[in-house]
Amino acid sequence: MSIEIKDLEDKNLEKLTLIQNGKSVRFQIKDDKVWFVHNPENGNLYSIEEASNKTVDAKALDTQKKDGSLQLIADKKPLLSYRYEMTYPPVGVDSIFKKSGYIHPILTPKGDTLTRIQPHDHYHHYGLWGPWTHTRIDTMRVDFWNLGEGMGTVLFKEFKNTVSGNVFSSFTAEQEHIDFKTKGSPQVALNEDLTINLWDLGLTDRYMFDYTTSFSSPLENGILFEAYRYGGGIGLRFNERWKADNCTVLTSEGNDRLTADGTNARWCIVSGVSSDGQGTNGILFMSHPENRMHPEPMRIWPIDANEGRGDMFFEFCPIRHEQWKIEPNREYELNYRMVVFDGELSAEEAEAYWQAFAKFPEAKRIEN
C-alpha cells in the first residue's frame, strides 16, 4: 500500500522511519508516495518519524535486461522475467508461432521453474500471458490467442518505466494487440499497458507480485470480447513435471481440480511436486474485487487433459460466461496478485493474502 507524502516536503525523507505497532517497516518512495507491504496482523495504524539510524534490513530489488528479457531480481537472484524480444518456435515449427510480450520463467525462491513456453501440444502457450481469444471487430472474428490461425497476436512495443528499491521492483510495458485480418492489413485493435510489481515479503520461501493490465481500443467501433472458456485475464501454462497424480488445486470456494473448472473464485492455489521430488511449491492466484465478473470464472484443465497426462493450465477468465463490449477510447483495467511459494500455503493463509489485496487500508494523517 502507499501513503501520500505531500505533507512531508519539509522533511529529510532519507531520515524518516515508518512505524507500525512499534516496529520499523521497510518503505520505498515513488511518485510522491511511501510504498510498503501492509501486514494486517499488526494493525492499521502507522506513524512516520524522524530517526538517525534505520534498523530495518533492506533487500535489494532490481531490474536487469539480459538476452532479450527484463528480469525482476531480489538479492541478485532473478525471480521472474518479461520477454521483450521475439522468441521463435523450435526448428521445423511454423514461424507463425513467434511471440514477444510474456512472462517466463517464473522461479520459486529455491529456483524451481514453474512456467513453460511452446509445449509441443500448444506452441502458442507462453508462460504467463493474457491474449483475448474469440473477439469480434465489426463483423470479423479475430483470435489473438491461437497464433496458428494467423488472425492476430500480442507483441511488446516499448517500456514506459522500470523501478528498483528495497520494497519492490517493477516495470510497465506497452503491448499491442495486432489484428491481421480486418481491412486486409494489420491494425492495432488494443493498446495495453502491462505493469508488474514484485514485492519482498521478508520471507525466504515466498514472494509476491502484482499483474495489472490497462487497455483501450483505438478502433472506431471498439471491439467485442465474445464469451468463451479461454481469453484475457491471466493464463499460465505450468511446468511439464506436473501431471494428474502430483498437482493439486484448491479454490476459495472449496473446489479442487476435479470440480474447479468453470466455477468462480476469489483465489486459487495451484501446487505440485518440486523438481527434487522432496517437497512441493506453487502459486496462489488472486482476483481483485473490482475486476469484471469477480469472483472470477476460471479455466482449469481437466485431470485427464492432454492425452490423459493431466498437464496443468490455469486461467482467470472474465469473459467465460458473458461477453464484454470494449467501447472505443475508454480505459479498462484488470488486477491480479500472485504469491509464489516453496513448501505449502494453507487456505487460511490464502484468505489472509486476499483480504490484504482486496481491502486497501485507509491512510490518515494524525497530528500530534
Side-chain angles (χ1 to χ4, degrees):
M1 67 170 291
S2 62
I3 297 175
E4 296 280 354
I5 61 172
K6 60 184 179 181
D7 295 328
L8 302 176
E9 293 177 353
D10 59 334
K11 303 292 186 182
N12 184 346
L13 298 180
E14 296 300 323
K15 293 186 177 182
L16 294 181
T17 298
L18 182 66
I19 304 295
Q20 180 193 27
N21 195 24
K23 297 181 180 179
S24 297
V25 177
R26 287 180 295 111
F27 69 88
Q28 185 172 327
I29 297 173
K30 178 180 179 289
D31 298 332
D32 294 326
K33 293 181 179 180
V34 173
W35 294 87
F36 55 96
V37 176
H38 172 60
N39 183 355
E41 294 182 357
N42 293 333
N44 292 327
L45 183 62
Y46 291 84
S47 63
I48 298 178
E49 304 173 2
E50 289 191 75
S52 57
N53 296 310
K54 293 195 176 183
T55 60
V56 183
D57 293 333
K59 179 178 287 188
L61 292 110
D62 206 350
T63 65
Q64 170 183 287
K65 288 183 179 180
K66 184 177 181 181
D67 300 329
S69 294
L70 179 69
Q71 299 175 330
L72 297 187
I73 299 169
D75 277 354
K76 300 181 180 181
K77 181 170 65 176
L79 293 177
L80 62 85
S81 298
Y82 172 81
R83 183 68 180 176
Y84 61 88
E85 287 191 358
M86 193 70 74
T87 300
Y88 289 85
V91 176
V93 177
D94 195 329
S95 63
I96 198 171
F97 290 104
K98 65 185 179 182
K99 181 86 172 72
S100 64
Y102 60 89
I103 296 173
H104 172 78
I106 296 175
L107 303 173
T108 72
K110 289 185 177 179
D112 270 7
T113 298
L114 296 183
T115 47
R116 185 182 186 186
I117 66 168
Q118 300 177 337
H120 63 84
D121 49 41
H122 293 77
Y123 283 114
H124 59 276
H125 281 192
Y126 278 90
L128 174 64
W129 83 126
W132 300 96
T133 310
H134 282 204
T135 79
R136 193 160 297 276
I137 299 174
D138 297 326
T139 61
M140 189 72 67
R141 177 177 168 262
V142 181
D143 187 338
F144 299 94
W145 178 291
N146 294 289
L147 301 178
E149 296 187 13
M151 295 184 184
T153 189
V154 182
L155 299 177
F156 167 79
K157 182 181 179 182
E158 63 182 1
F159 287 111
K160 289 194 166 182
N161 60 61
T162 60
V163 176
S164 300
N166 68 337
V167 175
F168 72 94
S169 61
S170 72
F171 68 85
T172 297
E174 186 174 348
Q175 302 186 150
E176 293 181 327
H177 298 236
I178 303 172
D179 161 25
F180 293 141
K181 285 189 63 177
T182 305
K183 299 178 181 178
S185 62
Q187 66 173 348
V188 175
L190 285 172
N191 291 304
E192 177 187 18
D193 285 346
L194 173 63
T195 299
I196 304 294
N197 291 315
L198 174 70
W199 301 90
D200 174 33
L201 295 175
L203 302 170
T204 60
D205 61 347
R206 297 177 186 178
Y207 66 89
M208 181 171 75
F209 70 95
D210 293 337
Y211 181 113
T212 299
T213 170
S214 304
F215 53 91
S216 63
S217 175
L219 303 179
E220 180 180 359
N221 296 317
I223 184 171
L224 177 68
F225 299 157
E226 296 180 323
Y228 191 61
R229 67 180 183 273
Y230 292 103
I234 50 171
L236 193 147
R237 179 67 186 263
F238 278 93
N239 65 84
E240 58 269 30
R241 70 177 177 273
W242 288 2
K243 308 296 183 187
D245 61 349
N246 64 7
C247 176
T248 64
V249 167
L250 177 64
T251 79
S252 58
E253 312 311 302
N255 287 297
D256 59 18
R257 187 162 186 195
L258 292 175
T259 60
D261 182 48
T263 67
N264 295 9
R266 303 185 307 277
W267 54 260
C268 180
I269 304 170
V270 180
S271 62
V273 65
S274 56
S275 61
D276 61 9
Q278 302 302 307
T280 59
N281 46 42
I283 299 179
L284 163 66
F285 297 88
M286 291 172 271
S287 166
H288 195 274
E290 294 183 1
N291 284 0
R292 183 180 193 266
M293 300 300 294
H294 180 89
E296 204 159 334
M298 296 172 293
R299 171 58 173 160
I300 296 175
W301 273 356
I303 203 163
D304 59 352
N306 289 28
E307 301 177 350
R309 294 192 307 271
D311 298 345
M312 185 63 209
F313 175 89
F314 172 85
E315 182 179 10
F316 271 131
C317 185
I319 45 79
R320 173 143 192 174
H321 303 307
E322 291 185 17
Q323 68 181 24
W324 190 6
K325 180 60 178 8
I326 304 304
E327 301 293 343
N329 301 309
R330 176 181 168 187
E331 292 290 332
Y332 296 83
E333 185 170 293
L334 294 167
N335 289 277
Y336 302 97
R337 174 169 286 180
M338 283 149 270
V339 176
V340 181
F341 61 91
D342 286 305
E344 298 181 355
L345 190 149
S346 68
E348 293 74 18
E349 290 175 309
E351 181 64 21
Y353 278 121
W354 183 82
Q355 290 289 340
F357 179 45
K359 299 179 181 179
F360 199 79
E362 182 180 358
K364 295 182 179 179
R365 180 176 175 84
I366 301 176
E367 300 291 345
N368 293 327

